[in-house]
Amino acid sequence: MHIHKFEKIWLIFGITTLIVFLSVIGVSAFYLGNQPPSCLATINPEKVDTTAPFDEPGLKKVEGKEWDYELVFVASAFAYNPGQVEVPKGAKVKVIATTKDVIHGFQVAGTNINMMLEPGYISEYVTTFDKAGDYLIVCNEYCGVGHHMMSSKIKVVE
């Protein structure tokens, strides 16, 4: 069987690229321990309302952590709880969110905050709000007939 010179070159290039790609993924996953964040924290979706910190959603000042505030949201059928919250400008905030029913999106317009909320999992994101103003929170995962009305607001104040 005769393989043309250029075909051999492309086969060697393709196989080498595949080996390098799989090696990088393997080292990243097994040696460095990088894994998807959704596997870090879980919660029973039937007991969200009685499990801290989701039993009292909203903004709370914290001490002794890398962030100044914890902002807790609970998503459920076509609403976020709380509906609106005020955050001080320049504060480092850890956003903690989950859902009780179906998959919801959690996107804060004008920022890099974009999380998928899945029943049984806790999503977290640490950010600093440097600009004062209103930031709309929208659900960017279709969750049912009232999906288009699902929103909340973060008001960053001086």
Side-chain angles (χ1 to χ4, degrees):
M1 180 167 131
H2 174 66
I3 298 179
H4 193 270
K5 178 175 123 179
F6 291 129
E7 288 179 347
K8 286 182 186 177
I9 292 172
W10 277 110
L11 279 172
I12 291 170
F13 175 75
I15 291 171
T16 304
T17 303
L18 181 63
I19 290 170
V20 168
F21 174 74
L22 292 175
S23 299
V24 168
I25 295 294
V27 167
S28 176
F30 298 112
Y31 180 71
L32 299 177
N34 292 333
Q35 296 184 3
S38 63
C39 65
L40 296 178
T42 59
I43 188 170
N44 184 344
E46 296 172 0
K47 297 182 180 179
V48 169
D49 291 329
T50 59
T51 306
F54 302 104
D55 56 345
E56 296 178 24
L59 186 69
K60 293 177 185 65
K61 179 105 171 116
V62 294
E63 301 291 332
K65 297 192 177 179
E66 295 177 25
W67 48 88
D68 305 318
Y69 294 90
E70 288 183 350
L71 181 53
V72 178
F73 278 96
V74 177
S76 58
F78 318 128
Y80 292 108
N81 186 15
Q84 181 172 335
V85 66
E86 286 190 3
V87 175
K89 179 182 170 186
K92 193 168 187 179
V93 179
K94 181 176 188 179
V95 180
I96 306 169
T98 192
T99 178
K100 298 190 275 188
D101 47 18
V102 298
I103 293 175
H104 293 283
F106 187 91
Q107 180 176 10
V108 182
T111 70
N112 286 337
I113 302 172
N114 187 4
M115 300 184 288
M116 180 182 285
L117 308 181
E118 302 175 62
Y121 293 96
I122 298 171
S123 298
E124 300 175 343
Y125 192 92
V126 178
T127 189
T128 302
F129 291 98
D130 292 326
K131 291 193 294 189
D134 292 342
Y135 293 87
L136 183 66
I137 301 170
V138 294
C139 178
N140 58 5
E141 291 285 333
Y142 182 74
C143 54
V145 294
H147 165 75
H148 63 285
M149 299 182 321
M150 189 170 177
S151 67
S152 183
K153 188 188 293 185
I154 296 174
K155 185 173 191 148
V156 179
V157 294
E158 294 287 338

